[in-house]
Amino acid sequence: MNIVTADSLVDLGKGFSSEDLFPIDAISNAATTALRDDQGKMLQYADETGLLAIRYEIARFMERQTGQVVNENHLLITNGASHALELILKMIVPPKSRVVVEDPTYFEALNILHDWNVELVPVRMKNNGLDTDHLRQILAEGPVSLVYTIPIHHNPTGVSMSPDRRRDLIALSEKHDFFIASDEAYRFVGQSVGRSLYTATEQKALAIGSFSKIVAPGMRLGWIHSAPENIQALSKCGVLKSGGGVGPLASTIAARMLRDGFDAEPLDALNRVYRDRRNAMVAALSENLDSRIAFVPPTGGYFCWVEMPHASNVERLQELAAAQSISFRKGNKFSYMGNFANALRLCYTYHDAAVIHAATKKLCGLMADALK
């Protein structure tokens, strides 16, 4: 339990889980068994696409979770979701091409994109996901190579893309010949999962998954799920050909965890905690938020997005909250254009439900004060 004293900081901006939720016993048991049974193979180089064992177990895991048939040959193992995006940019996106990003979006993804010689083009978000009508306007202005989207439990807004928007986005990618990097790191977090943008038939969709949110970020293990020709193109990366597939040691441990039924109870238990924490924040906002301030209850994941009338309200709120040992992330951090200075992102996965409810309730009072 995270014990928070009157003088300690309640950081509602932290975008990760608390250490007490990491499945230490499951990891330890899997590692011990793997080291005993693997005969040292887990310490050898792996295939460029990753160990067959982890690709097989991820495929079975996704089948159990979603009912969707998954072929392990449609998977490539990565060093987490961030590495997956980097690999897509390196191997598939031509230099100087246009890349569409949601506004707002995950700020670290913006940092990754800024490392590459591409032109970023922001597309609006709505309560049901990426605004495909706005995307049409962008496409009318010139070709696009990639759309980066977070369609399930969006970071930072917490919304999920509607089925109509998904179909529209896929149809546009096929018509206008652009790839979709679908960041689905929150797909299995805290709520029934949404449908992936890649279902084995979409030639232009690359779905990104990760163990960071469902096991621990230190596993540094993720995947790309896409058409075999895309997987083969990605696997030709010089780093993968030289160093071998990503993380054979972590992959063997994760494969053993999945084989031993990690998603049958430990993951369910984790998601029950996340749901309780999310419900605590949503309840505090619903019961105490000033009517002039807007928020949409998140569908799952880690985050809740709140919009105040003016940027000056958020500046004032930050001062008031700091004096009460509460912090959050300002909305303009998540915008390539510096928009959403009137917004704030709150994370509900780090602190206990009681702490989250109390801090969010107090923050609601401070928001009302910031409007004066």
Side-chain angles (χ1 to χ4, degrees):
M1 177 179 289
N2 296 314
I3 304 299
V4 180
T5 66
D7 297 325
S8 63
L9 176 69
V10 179
D11 188 352
L12 298 178
K14 278 186 176 178
F16 44 88
S17 180
S18 52
E19 291 82 0
D20 60 303
L21 294 180
F22 294 157
I24 303 299
D25 289 343
I27 294 171
S28 177
N29 292 338
T32 300
T33 304
L35 283 167
R36 184 192 66 209
D37 297 346
D38 188 71
Q39 310 262 323
K41 294 177 184 176
M42 62 197 291
L43 302 176
Q44 189 55 274
Y45 290 110
D47 183 80
E48 287 90 341
T49 56
L51 286 178
L52 176 59
I54 188 61
R55 290 188 286 116
Y56 176 86
E57 293 300 338
I58 290 171
R60 305 294 79 75
F61 161 70
M62 290 200 288
E63 288 180 346
R64 291 192 297 271
Q65 290 288 317
T66 69
Q68 172 189 342
V69 176
V70 178
N71 187 316
E72 54 269 22
N73 294 323
H74 292 221
L75 290 165
L76 180 141
I77 302 305
T78 66
N79 186 30
S82 296
H83 175 232
L85 177 58
E86 175 93 356
L87 191 59
I88 290 167
L89 288 164
K90 181 177 184 179
M91 301 303 296
I92 288 180
V93 179
K96 301 182 179 180
S97 60
R98 294 204 305 165
V99 173
V100 172
V101 294
E102 292 164 333
D103 194 28
T105 191
Y106 174 43
F107 67 90
E108 296 291 9
L110 290 175
N111 290 335
I112 294 170
L113 289 159
H114 280 306
D115 287 342
W116 292 87
N117 183 18
V118 294
E119 177 188 350
L120 298 187
V121 183
V123 63
R124 288 189 295 266
M125 283 286 293
K126 290 191 172 182
N127 288 346
N128 59 353
L130 183 151
D131 186 342
T132 49
D133 291 329
H134 186 206
L135 179 58
R136 281 186 175 81
Q137 298 174 21
I138 294 169
L139 292 166
E141 297 167 358
V144 163
S145 291
L146 181 74
V147 170
Y148 171 72
T149 180
I150 308 172
I152 305 170
H153 312 326
H154 185 265
N155 179 8
T157 67
V159 304
S160 289
M161 190 181 293
S162 69
D164 287 346
R165 294 267 178 200
R166 291 164 184 268
R167 287 190 289 269
D168 202 13
L169 178 58
I170 292 295
L172 286 172
S173 74
E174 293 170 353
K175 178 179 179 180
H176 294 275
D177 195 31
F178 62 81
F179 286 95
I180 303 168
S182 181
D183 188 341
E184 301 176 6
Y186 300 95
R187 186 182 180 198
F188 302 103
V189 178
Q191 186 80 350
S192 58
V193 299
R195 187 177 178 85
S196 174
L197 283 184
Y198 180 69
T199 63
T201 60
E202 299 83 0
Q203 296 299 307
K204 292 293 184 177
L206 302 105
I208 297 170
S210 176
F211 284 99
S212 293
K213 313 305 181 196
I214 58 175
V215 178
M219 291 289 287
R220 300 316 315 139
L221 205 62
W223 63 86
I224 297 173
H225 186 205
S226 191
E229 55 266 37
N230 296 332
I231 296 299
Q232 289 305 309
L234 293 166
S235 70
K236 296 184 186 305
C237 173
V239 171
L240 294 179
K241 292 183 74 66
S242 173
V246 166
L249 178 60
S251 293
T252 304
I253 295 171
R256 176 66 66 166
M257 290 174 66
L258 291 174
R259 195 177 311 147
D260 290 345
F262 169 77
D263 54 311
E265 174 51 33
L267 181 56
D268 286 346
L270 176 67
N271 280 333
R272 285 194 293 272
V273 172
Y274 284 159
R275 286 193 290 272
D276 288 345
R277 295 180 179 186
R278 184 179 83 239
N279 291 340
M281 178 172 283
V282 170
L285 291 169
S286 300
E287 295 163 4
N288 300 285
L289 200 62
D290 187 285
S291 61
R292 292 167 291 177
I293 302 171
F295 92 101
V296 176
T299 58
Y302 277 28
F303 307 110
C304 189
W305 183 252
V306 179
E307 293 191 2
M308 302 185 74
H310 304 290
S312 59
N313 304 141
V314 176
E315 294 291 340
R316 176 63 177 147
L317 175 64
Q318 194 167 44
E319 296 174 3
L320 295 171
Q324 296 294 320
S325 296
I326 300 173
S327 68
F328 55 83
R329 297 294 181 270
K330 294 169 62 176
N332 56 0
K333 185 179 183 69
F334 304 90
S335 173
Y336 167 61
M337 303 297 290
N339 296 326
F340 306 103
N342 66 313
L344 52 147
R345 188 197 75 175
L346 305 176
C347 177
Y348 47 76
T349 54
Y350 188 76
H351 297 287
D352 297 327
V355 172
I356 289 168
H357 189 276
T360 305
K361 181 178 180 180
K362 182 179 287 188
L363 191 63
C364 287
L366 298 176
M367 285 190 236
D369 292 340
L371 294 177
K372 296 176 182 177

